[in-house]
């Protein structure tokens, strides 16, 4: 496992400097954020408290008071018998309208988005419970009006929504100021005590209207009186000075004392089923006055809390502003200093790295490319010194400058050496080409003088080997960036170009032709196209079984002349085809280490030189089909596709095969031109035997009745034996060969040879080539060759 220090060494300069500066800056920012958040949190609490205090003060207070009044009127309404038209019923209906009004105002304020955002989720849930209790109040009212609910159940129906409001008060968040929080709890406690006093009033009025206590009303009244006294005792125990000034006058008032006396009498004399032991009129008078005083206390003490909250909020805001501004100034100054120093270091170091990287990735390769093209390079101008000051970074820059000059000088020397080697290879290749051309010319003369079939066969083999050697010598010329020595001035028929390419392939006998339209290739592209097609055809023959054939077809297309070369071998993987097509479309830089793909590289260079597109694709027969698309500007004289040759055309092709061609305007006749070719239709007069491999042939053939055999055991060809009956029945004087009467042609022949002599020579050639193919098929291993493209 690598140590952490080793991983740090792989970081960039910018990352290291940022890592060096970031921790102290981050610490300072965190401390500033922490100090600001402490004070800002208190400010947010104050702002939130303003939002929910707008609902928890007067709106909720109004709901509680109006519900208390409706609760009392409901107790009287139920005790008097629920008769319509009575004052109790009219008063209850009017009070219900007031309650509905304050409930509507509370609901509208409760759904405000600001209020919902200011309180936590727990408070929002309690607030929803308050709204639900308000909704249930409607059902309770209906039960009261129908007489389905007694006074005890009605009392609880109004107690539940009021209790839910106080539960919502308890869930509201406090603020960070302890004094304000304590005063708020005091107000909530005194408000709860006032609610207990209102419950006393409701029970007392109900009992007074009914004339006696029912069920547990006496016990409930005593419990409410005790709860009210305990709540006020707890809430007013630690009143602040402002609250004490408001509370003491209430305790000393006559109404407060009279209520206490009446409560004491109720608790002392009240009995279940008995009458109310106090005068209800005296109770109402004392209750109304005390209730008003208690409510004034709650509202007044609440205003004191709000008044005291102002200075607290101002102090909190001052702390927030002070901590925020001072901390922000410190953070900004630290960041500016760090950025200025860090950017200076980063700019210099990154600039040094970029200059060095630019030298390695751009300038040095560009100089090498220019040197390969023969351009002159000024080492000093191409490798200027790196100026980065006199400190340690500047010294590193000087060291890189020295390395840069050395690298440029090495590149210059390497390019010069490479150029020299290319010239050496080109010189050797040119010399080899000269010798091969002389050798081919000599062989041509010897072939024309030879009369012995076996000697002529050997000469043709040597001729074919020399032709292939010439193509391999041209590979060196192409790799050296030069053009082959041979060339043509005039356009050459495309069929001759393809035949010339086939003649440079070792296994030429397996190559067959399909339809080839009549068209000509411009002279400047003939040599390169022959070489290109020969490389592709040889690749097809090398990677297909020896008993299969390689088919060549062509057609005129809108984008030029398309030549398809199809083999029936094992094919190539899709990834390999894609990679080969990419190399053919964009020739890479030649790598001597990858000599196995030399043919592919040569094809790519030749195609790029003339704008020819070479594409490989999978064949339907399992092999590979190579499509060579020659652009229109290289094609001339395109007319129509060839059809099967007529007998007259066969004789003309046989005659052209033995005539001398002009070296400057036509392709030199090769073995593929003068020998019969195994194709769907052939240009020689004799069709070859089918290319089926035979393990062995007998030295002597059994004589066949009616067939005359030669010394080699082959059937002797009889002139016009395979012609149609119509041709055989034509009068002798009407028959012509290339416009020459047949009788004269049979006497004089072609090129000074008689027709019989020409026929015997062609028969001997066919016999020799048949034996050569048979011997090659017996010794050839189909798995031995390796693709070179």
């Amino acid at each position: 496992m690598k140590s952490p220090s080793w991983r740090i060494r792989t970081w960039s300069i910018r990352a290291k400097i940022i890592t060096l500066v970031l921790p102290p800056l981050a610490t300072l920012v965190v401390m500033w954020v922490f100090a600001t958040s402490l004070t800002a949190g208190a400010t947010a609490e104050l702002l939130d408290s303003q939002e929910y205090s707008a609902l928890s003060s007067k709106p909720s207070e109004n709901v509680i008071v109006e519900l208390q009044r409706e609760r009392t009127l409901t107790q009287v309404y139920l005790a008097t018998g629920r008769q319509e038209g009575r004052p109790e019923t009219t008063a209850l209906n009017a009070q219900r309208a007031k309650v509905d009004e304050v409930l509507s105002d509370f609901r509208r304020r409760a759904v405000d988005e600001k209020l919902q955002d200011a309180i936590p989720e727990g408070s929002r849930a309690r607030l929803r419970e308050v709204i639900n209790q308000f909704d249930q109040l409607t059902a309770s009212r209906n039960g009261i009006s129908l007489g389905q609910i007694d006074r005890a159940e009605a009392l609880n129906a109004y107690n539940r929504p009021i209790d839910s409001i106080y539960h919502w008060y308890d869930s509201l968040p406090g603020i960070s100021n302890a004094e304000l929080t304590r005063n708020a709890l005091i107000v909530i406690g005194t408000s709860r005590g006032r609610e207990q006093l209102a419950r006393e009033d409701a029970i007392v009025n109900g009992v007074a209207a009914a004339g006696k206590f029912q069920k547990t009303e006496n016990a409930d009244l005593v419990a409410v009186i005790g709860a009210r006294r305990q709540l006020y005792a707890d809430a007013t125990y630690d009143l602040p000075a402002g609250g004490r000034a408001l509370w003491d006058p209430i305790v000393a008032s006559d109404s407060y004392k009279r209520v206490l006396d009446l409560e004491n009498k109720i608790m002392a004399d009240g009995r279940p089923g008995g009458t109310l032991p106090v005068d209800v009129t005296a109770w109402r008078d004392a209750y109304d006055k005390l209730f008003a005083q208690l409510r004034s206390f709650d509202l007044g003490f609440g205003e004191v809390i709000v008044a005291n909250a102002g200075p607290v909020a101002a102090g909190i805001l001052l702390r927030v502003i002070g901590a925020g501004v001072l901390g922000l100034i410190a953070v900004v100054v630290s960041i500016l200093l760090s950025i200025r120093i860090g950017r200076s270091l980063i700019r210099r170091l990154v600039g040094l790295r970029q200059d060095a990287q630019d030298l390695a990735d751009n300038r040095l390769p560009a100089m090498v490319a220019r040197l390969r093209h023969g351009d002159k390079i000024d080492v000093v101008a191409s490798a200027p010194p790196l100026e980065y000051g006199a400190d340690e970074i500047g010294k590193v820059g000087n060291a890189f400058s020295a390395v840069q000059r050395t690298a440029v000088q090495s590149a210059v020397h390497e390019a010069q050496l490479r150029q020299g080697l290319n010239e050496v290879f080109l010189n050797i290749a040119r010399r080899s080409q000269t010798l091969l051309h002389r050798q081919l010319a000599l062989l041509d003369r010897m072939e024309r003088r030879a009369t012995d079939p076996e000697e002529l066969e050997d000469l043709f083999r040597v001729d074919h080997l020399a032709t292939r050697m010439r193509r391999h010598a041209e590979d060196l010329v192409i790799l050296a960036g030069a053009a082959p020595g041979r060339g043509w001035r005039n356009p050459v028929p495309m069929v001759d170009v393809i035949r010339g390419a086939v003649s440079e392939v070792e296994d030429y006998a397996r190559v067959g032709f399909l339809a080839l339209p009549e068209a000509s290739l411009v002279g400047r592209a003939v040599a390169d196209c022959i070489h290109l097609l020969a490389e592709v055809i040889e690749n097809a023959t090398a990677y297909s079984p020896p008993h299969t054939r390689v088919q060549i077809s062509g057609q005129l297309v809108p984008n030029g002349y398309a030549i398809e070369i199809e083999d029936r071998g094992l094919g190539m993987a899709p990834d390999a085809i894609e990679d080969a097509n990419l190399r053919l479309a964009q020739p890479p830089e030649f790598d001597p280490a990858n000599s196995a793909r030399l043919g592919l590289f040569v094809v790519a260079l030749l195609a790029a030189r003339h704008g020819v597109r070479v594409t490989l694709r999978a064949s339907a027969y399992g092999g590979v089909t190579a499509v060579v698309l020659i652009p229109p500007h290289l094609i001339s004289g395109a007319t129509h596709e060839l059809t099967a040759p007529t007998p007259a055309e066969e004789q003309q092709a046989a005659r052209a095969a033995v005539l001398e061609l002009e070296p400057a305007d036509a392709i030199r006749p090769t073995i593929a031109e003068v020998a019969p070719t195994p194709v769907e239709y052939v240009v020689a007069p004799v069709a070859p035997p089918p290319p089926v491999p035979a393990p062995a042939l007998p030295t002597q053939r059994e004589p066949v009745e009616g067939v005359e055999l030669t010394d080699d055991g082959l059937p002797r060809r009889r002139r016009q034996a395979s012609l149609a009956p119509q041709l055989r029945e034509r009068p002798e004087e009407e028959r012509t060969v290339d416009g020459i009467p047949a009788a004269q042609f049979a006497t004089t022949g072609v090129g000074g040879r008689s027709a019989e002599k020409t026929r015997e020579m062609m028969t001997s050639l066919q016999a020799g080539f048949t034996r050569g193919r048979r011997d090659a098929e017996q010794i050839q291993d189909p798995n031995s060759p390796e693709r070179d493209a």
Side-chain angles (χ1 to χ4, degrees):
M1 181 177 179
K2 296 182 179 180
S3 63
S5 61
W6 175 258
R7 291 196 294 268
I8 292 176
R9 292 179 184 178
T10 60
W11 291 5
S12 65
I13 297 173
R14 187 183 301 274
K16 291 180 180 179
I17 293 179
I18 292 176
T19 304
L20 181 64
V21 176
L22 189 59
L25 288 179
T27 303
L28 182 60
V29 172
V30 169
M31 292 179 63
W32 172 69
V33 172
F34 178 73
T36 305
S37 63
L38 291 178
T39 52
T43 304
E45 292 173 356
L46 287 175
L47 295 175
D48 292 342
S49 66
Q50 292 178 358
E51 293 294 337
Y52 57 75
S53 64
L55 181 64
S56 63
S57 56
K58 287 187 178 182
S60 60
E61 172 66 16
N62 293 335
V63 171
I64 292 174
V65 171
E66 298 300 335
L67 284 174
Q68 290 170 347
R69 291 174 182 173
E70 183 180 346
R71 179 176 58 192
T72 301
L73 293 174
T74 300
Q75 292 294 314
V76 175
Y77 170 76
L78 292 174
T80 57
R82 302 180 291 103
Q83 297 180 6
E84 295 293 335
R86 292 176 62 88
E88 293 83 1
T89 303
T90 303
L92 179 59
N93 291 335
Q95 183 59 33
R96 285 181 177 180
K98 292 182 180 179
V99 171
D100 292 339
E101 184 179 353
V102 295
L103 288 180
S104 177
D105 180 66
F106 186 91
R107 292 174 187 271
R108 179 178 58 80
R109 295 173 180 269
V111 296
D112 185 70
E113 294 183 358
K114 294 182 178 180
L115 173 66
Q116 295 292 328
D117 295 337
I119 59 178
E121 178 60 32
S123 298
R124 289 197 291 269
R126 293 288 179 87
L127 186 58
R128 289 193 294 270
E129 180 62 25
V130 172
I131 302 300
N132 292 335
Q133 290 297 330
F134 291 166
D135 295 336
Q136 295 177 8
L137 185 61
T138 302
S140 300
R141 285 175 174 177
N142 294 332
I144 292 171
S145 300
L146 296 174
Q148 298 173 351
I149 297 177
D150 58 9
R151 295 203 308 271
E153 293 178 355
L155 184 68
N156 290 329
Y158 287 95
N159 292 344
R160 286 192 292 269
I162 295 174
D163 289 339
S164 66
I165 293 176
Y166 286 110
H167 293 157
W168 176 59
Y169 288 164
D170 295 336
S171 68
L172 291 175
I175 56 179
S176 58
N177 188 274
E179 182 179 358
L180 293 178
T181 302
R182 183 174 63 251
N183 292 338
L185 294 176
I186 291 174
V187 173
I188 294 175
T190 56
S191 180
R192 284 178 180 273
R194 181 158 46 88
E195 159 60 14
Q196 297 301 318
L197 181 62
R199 291 184 184 184
E200 292 180 38
D201 180 65
I203 296 173
V204 168
N205 281 276
V207 173
K212 63 178 180 179
F213 287 103
Q214 293 181 356
K215 297 181 180 179
T216 62
E217 287 181 334
N218 182 44
D220 294 339
L221 182 57
V222 173
V224 171
I225 292 172
R228 197 269 305 172
R229 292 182 177 183
Q230 184 63 41
L231 286 172
Y232 272 109
D234 294 339
T236 60
Y237 177 78
D238 194 18
L239 279 173
R244 183 63 62 180
L246 297 174
W247 177 252
D248 288 344
I250 295 175
V251 175
S253 64
D254 292 338
S255 60
Y256 185 80
K257 294 177 181 180
R258 287 173 61 192
V259 169
L260 289 180
D261 292 340
L262 294 172
E263 288 176 347
N264 291 335
K265 188 172 180 59
I266 291 172
M267 290 188 293
D269 298 336
R271 298 289 183 272
T275 60
L276 185 69
V278 297
D279 184 16
V280 67
T281 303
W283 167 263
R284 288 175 180 171
D285 181 66
Y287 167 79
D288 290 340
K289 293 180 180 179
L290 179 60
F291 189 85
Q293 291 175 341
L294 293 176
R295 189 181 183 192
S296 297
F297 171 80
D298 292 340
L299 295 177
F301 191 54
E303 292 178 356
V304 172
I305 296 175
V306 173
N308 294 333
V312 174
I316 292 174
L317 290 175
L318 289 176
R319 292 197 300 271
V320 170
I321 294 173
V325 171
L326 294 177
L328 183 60
I329 292 174
V331 170
V332 170
V333 171
S334 300
I335 291 176
L336 290 177
L337 290 176
S338 301
I339 290 176
R340 184 170 183 179
I341 298 174
R343 288 181 62 184
S344 176
L345 292 175
I346 291 172
R347 183 174 61 254
R348 297 173 65 193
L349 293 175
V350 171
L352 180 61
R353 178 185 61 82
Q354 290 177 348
D355 287 343
Q357 194 72 32
D358 181 66
L359 172 68
D361 296 340
N362 299 319
R363 287 188 291 166
L364 195 58
M367 285 186 289
V368 172
R370 291 175 57 191
L371 290 170
R372 289 178 178 176
H373 288 85
D375 297 343
K376 300 297 182 180
I377 298 296
D378 188 355
V379 177
V380 178
S382 301
L386 304 178
E387 299 293 343
Y388 286 95
D391 57 357
E392 287 80 0
I393 298 178
K395 293 179 180 179
V396 174
N398 295 334
F400 272 110
S401 297
V403 173
Q404 154 176 286
R405 286 192 299 271
T406 303
V408 172
Q409 292 174 354
S410 300
V412 171
H413 295 161
E414 180 183 357
Q416 293 174 351
L417 177 60
R418 189 166 185 173
Q419 184 66 27
L421 291 176
N422 285 343
E423 293 178 356
V424 171
F425 291 149
L426 182 60
N427 189 16
I428 295 175
R430 292 297 190 192
R431 293 184 179 183
S432 300
Q433 280 189 313
T434 302
L435 295 177
L436 287 171
H437 281 296
R438 293 173 59 186
Q439 181 179 353
L440 288 172
L442 178 59
L443 288 172
D444 184 59
R445 291 194 298 270
M446 294 176 65
E447 291 167 3
R448 297 179 187 279
R449 293 195 305 267
T451 58
D452 182 60
E454 293 184 358
E455 181 181 353
L456 186 59
E457 178 182 356
D458 292 338
L459 288 175
F460 278 152
R461 289 184 178 179
V462 176
D463 183 290
H464 182 63
L465 293 176
T467 303
R468 293 175 58 201
M469 289 175 62
R470 180 183 61 186
R471 177 165 59 88
H472 294 316
E474 287 180 356
D475 288 344
L476 293 177
V477 177
I478 295 171
L479 294 178
R486 52 176 177 163
W488 284 261
R489 297 187 304 272
N490 301 326
V492 177
M494 190 62 69
V495 63
D496 292 336
V497 173
I498 298 175
R499 291 170 60 198
V502 173
S503 69
E504 298 186 4
V505 177
E506 178 180 5
D507 208 356
Y508 61 89
R510 292 173 46 211
V511 180
F513 296 87
L514 300 178
L516 293 174
E518 292 183 0
S520 297
L521 185 67
V522 296
R524 67 176 184 276
V526 170
D528 290 340
C529 287
I530 291 176
H531 195 145
L532 185 151
L533 293 173
E535 293 287 348
V536 177
I537 296 171
E538 185 170 48
N539 189 76
T541 59
Y543 282 89
S544 58
H547 63 278
T548 62
R549 304 175 68 183
V550 175
Q551 302 287 0
I552 301 178
S553 62
Q555 57 180 324
L556 287 168
V557 295
N559 294 331
Y561 194 98
I563 302 173
E564 292 189 4
I565 302 169
E566 180 185 54
D567 66 66
R568 301 188 179 184
L570 298 178
M572 298 172 63
D575 294 341
I577 292 179
E578 182 179 358
D579 179 67
N581 286 331
L582 181 61
R583 292 174 178 269
L584 290 171
Q586 300 176 357
E589 195 72 23
F590 176 66
D591 184 7
N594 194 12
S595 59
R597 291 180 174 267
L598 180 61
L600 180 67
F601 181 73
V602 171
V603 170
L605 288 180
L606 293 174
R609 181 179 296 174
H610 296 283
V612 177
R613 290 170 50 190
V614 182
T615 307
L616 303 182
R617 67 167 184 258
S619 171
Y621 297 97
V624 175
T625 299
V627 180
V628 180
L629 180 61
I630 301 176
H633 67 272
L634 299 180
I635 303 300
S636 64
T639 57
H640 60 280
E641 292 188 357
L642 289 176
T643 57
T646 63
E649 292 173 338
E650 289 184 355
Q651 293 179 0
Q652 183 178 2
R655 180 170 175 265
V658 296
L659 290 175
E660 291 185 353
L661 299 177
E662 299 180 10
D665 298 327
I667 297 178
R668 176 183 175 276
T670 61
I671 190 171
E673 298 171 338
V674 299
T677 307
V679 294
E680 280 66 11
Y681 66 88
V682 296
V683 297
V686 181
V692 178
L697 293 175
T699 57
Q700 294 183 354
R701 294 181 180 268
E702 294 292 335
V704 181
E705 183 178 359
V707 177
E708 181 181 358
L709 300 180
T710 64
D711 296 338
D712 298 324
L714 297 176
R716 183 179 297 277
R717 179 175 178 274
R718 295 184 178 276
R719 182 172 175 273
Q720 298 185 354
S722 60
L723 290 179
Q726 293 85 350
L727 297 179
R728 289 199 301 268
E729 294 173 359
R730 183 182 303 173
E732 184 68 25
E733 60 273 7
E734 296 182 4
R735 299 181 185 178
T736 60
V737 178
D738 295 343
I740 303 173
Q744 181 182 353
F745 183 81
T747 305
T748 61
V750 179
R753 302 185 183 92
S754 64
E756 186 63 26
K757 185 64 175 179
T758 301
R759 184 167 53 253
E760 291 177 357
M761 184 180 68
M762 297 301 296
T763 302
S764 301
L765 287 176
Q766 180 184 7
F769 292 141
T770 301
R771 287 197 302 273
R773 287 196 299 271
R774 183 176 63 236
D775 295 341
E777 290 171 356
Q778 291 177 355
I779 64 174
Q780 185 176 13
D781 183 3
N783 299 322
S784 61
E786 297 182 355
R787 281 187 188 269
D788 60 353

